[in-house]
């Protein structure tokens, strides 16, 4: 699902709200999550999961083409940990319900 699909779904479920207001609300929520992560804060959405930032220290890597050693700078990366309710929904009874797409036949189960 992309942002415009989310906005459309919310608009369909809330006909009393203007489309532009829903777009603004969704943008504000995403912006606040981004701002909190940029400050180093953790964002938890109960039943869904938690967003946080992880530090990746500087290290020496390899250029896959030449095999040459390359210095990789330290960086901060966003990290998402799914909540228990989301994990249970993905792995339990609610799996592949209406609107969900099942994996192709023969696809191995994820670990």
């Amino acid at each position: 699902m992309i942002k415009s699909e989310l906005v459309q779904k919310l608009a369909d479920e809330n006909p009393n709200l203007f489309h532009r207001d829903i777009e603004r609300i969704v943008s504000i929520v995403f912006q606040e999550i981004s701002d909190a992560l940029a400050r180093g804060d953790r964002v938890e959405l109960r039943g869904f999961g938690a967003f946080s930032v992880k530090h990746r220290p500087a290290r020496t890597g390899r250029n896959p083409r030449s095999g040459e050693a390359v210095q990789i700078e330290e960086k901060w990366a966003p990290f998402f940990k799914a909540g228990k309710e989301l994990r249970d929904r993905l792995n339990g009874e609610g799996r592949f319900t209406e609107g969900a797409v099942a994996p192709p036949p023969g696809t191995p189960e994820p670990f």
Side-chain angles (χ1 to χ4, degrees):
M1 174 179 279
I2 59 175
K3 186 176 175 180
S4 61
E5 292 172 340
L6 174 62
V7 170
Q8 187 59 51
K9 183 161 180 66
L10 290 171
D12 293 344
E13 292 179 7
N14 298 284
N16 56 324
L17 297 174
F18 292 112
H19 196 271
R20 68 176 180 266
D21 292 338
I22 294 172
E23 284 180 351
R24 188 157 188 250
I25 291 167
V26 170
S27 293
I28 288 170
V29 168
F30 289 160
Q31 187 62 49
E32 287 301 315
I33 291 172
S34 297
D35 291 347
L37 292 175
R39 288 190 307 267
D41 295 340
R42 182 173 183 266
V43 178
E44 182 178 339
L45 303 172
R46 298 283 168 133
F48 182 69
F51 297 92
S52 60
V53 179
K54 289 206 171 192
H55 181 253
R56 308 257 188 240
R59 61 188 172 89
T60 301
R62 295 257 174 228
N63 180 333
R65 285 190 176 173
S66 65
E68 178 184 340
V70 177
Q71 193 61 29
I72 300 171
E73 296 179 8
E74 73 172 350
K75 58 181 126 184
W76 295 88
F79 179 76
F80 175 75
K81 182 176 181 184
K84 184 178 184 319
E85 290 178 36
L86 178 58
R87 285 192 313 271
D88 290 347
R89 186 168 181 192
L90 292 175
N91 295 307
E93 295 290 320
R95 191 166 189 194
F96 303 124
T97 57
E98 181 183 336
V101 178
T107 303
E109 285 291 318
F111 295 104

